[in-house]
Amino acid sequence: MKYQFSVTKTTNPKAKPDPDTLGFGAQFTDHMFLLDYKEGKGWHNGRIVPYGPLELDPAALVFHYGQEMFEGLKAYKDPNGKVVLFRPDKNVERTNNTNRRMCIPEIEKDLMIEAIKAVVEIDKDWIPEKEGTALYVRPFIIATEPCLSVRPSKEFLFAVILSPVGPYYKEGMAPTKIYVEQDFIRAVKGGTGFAKIGGNYAGALLSQEVAHEEGYSQVLWLDGVEKKYVEEIGTSNAFFVIDNEVITAPLEGTILPGITRDSVINLLKSWGVTVREERLAIADLWKYYEQGRVQEIFATGTAAVISPVGELKWLDHVMNINNGEIGPISQRLYDEITGIQLGKMEDKFGWVVHVD
Ligand SMILES: *Cc1c(COP(=O)(O)O)cnc(C)c1O
């Protein structure tokens, strides 16, 4: 190990949750990782401490102008009980892409990876082992300098917290009902759509609330300029299987470059499936649907892995996808990605990283 972190263990360990009733991000482990940044000094004072409240100045910049970012990945135990992470290097790469956009100082790759490994290792008994469960790892950075001027903070806090999670959707991998958002938009080119930041989420809450009130689990976002092309589903990347080919929105600055998205594209290509990262007009999707050519729609993200869409509503048009059932490509992707994550399938791409 290149870095030394101080460790203060909790004197008050909590009871582990019942693996059958785990939700998403509702319970937290005994420890957390913290690291400070100060202009002129860089990132310093990496430490593991008991999980608990942070003390911050009410003038901390994050509370006022939202300078912050976050990441998400999962830790698992393989069949030999070894602790593994899935593609953590991609999270670090994305962290620094986000940081550059948000005027947050970059963080060295090995420092972030070692921080994640160290805190996961300390709380590894919290990794649930039941099918569909994992230890969700949430790194984040907040601007902590007390200051009401609008400018980048000179002080930051990087933290990693851990949460044992069950399946993301209560119904498990059951197909969801989605509608196409016509009023609100999520991102435009030149904005922050590609950055993993709270601001993008806060701005999308109202749309999600309306969707829930109307009985839908998420919305499908269209591009913010013409409201014509499909982009993301809620906070996940969107994939469409049409004529046995797979199409997903290109990375042009408005969608989040999902790590699951990248894994899905790599797997599909390795199976010989054609994947096109191209714009898809919602009107064309409806036309293909009417012609009986739309086979599957699914969303991808760390939390749910693969989330098939059973019904998609656009204006007055309702598309029933694969009779509301999980399609073969969605199922195979889910089985293969979770199989690799859990060490039950061959890791051809070298995606799994050992913690211990
Ligand atoms: C995190 C996120 C995703 C999924 O990314 P993964 O790396 O696959 O978890 C997709 N869209 C948005 C907006 C996100 O924040």
Side-chain angles (χ1 to χ4, degrees), residues 63-80:
F63 295 137
H64 306 277
Y65 310 126
Q67 197 187 11
E68 68 92 48
M69 63 79 60
F70 69 94
E71 269 299 330
L73 67 159
K74 281 176 173 173
Y76 310 85
K77 277 188 186 163
D78 75 8
N80 306 316

Side-chain angles (χ1 to χ4, degrees), residues 94 186 196 201 232 235-237 256 258-261 300-302:
R94 190 168 64 191
R186 195 190 87 89
K196 209 163 175 76
Y201 280 63
E232 294 200 71
T235 56
S236 310
N237 296 117
L256 204 287
I259 296 164
T260 320
R261 174 187 182 279
T300 70
T302 295

Side-chain angles (χ1 to χ4, degrees), residues 3 126 145:
Y3 298 92
W126 283 82
E145 187 193 355

Side-chain angles (χ1 to χ4, degrees), residues 205-345:
L205 288 175
L206 180 55
S207 163
Q208 184 182 292
E209 283 301 288
V210 175
H212 288 173
E213 272 162 30
E214 297 186 7
Y216 293 83
S217 59
Q218 275 301 348
V219 302
L220 185 148
W221 297 102
L222 298 177
D223 74 279
V225 176
E226 297 177 77
K227 292 195 193 167
K228 192 170 164 190
Y229 301 102
V230 300
E231 293 212 327
E232 294 200 71
I233 294 177
T235 56
S236 310
N237 296 117
F239 285 79
F240 303 83
V241 186
I242 302 166
D243 295 335
N244 296 314
E245 293 186 354
V246 178
I247 182 159
T248 192
L251 301 178
E252 292 177 336
T254 55
I255 69 162
L256 204 287
I259 296 164
T260 320
R261 174 187 182 279
D262 184 75
S263 306
V264 160
I265 291 172
N266 276 292
L267 276 174
L268 288 169
K269 287 184 176 167
S270 78
W271 300 341
V273 177
T274 301
V275 183
R276 294 191 283 121
E277 293 178 64
E278 282 171 18
R279 291 183 141 201
L280 170 64
I282 186 69
D284 286 337
L285 181 71
W286 172 247
K287 188 177 77 194
Y288 301 145
Y289 174 78
E290 285 196 301
Q291 294 167 345
R293 294 160 63 189
V294 179
Q295 296 154 296
E296 294 180 45
I297 301 178
F298 56 90
T300 70
T302 295
V305 188
I306 303 290
S307 175
V309 176
E311 183 187 312
L312 181 67
K313 184 165 179 262
W314 173 52
L315 305 172
D316 296 334
H317 308 311
V318 176
M319 304 180 219
N320 246 295
I321 310 301
N322 195 43
N323 297 317
E325 286 164 25
I326 301 167
I329 291 190
S330 306
Q331 187 68 56
R332 187 173 171 198
L333 284 166
Y334 180 84
D335 292 344
E336 197 128 339
I337 293 174
T338 55
I340 294 170
Q341 288 169 334
L342 296 170
K344 291 178 181 161
M345 285 177 102

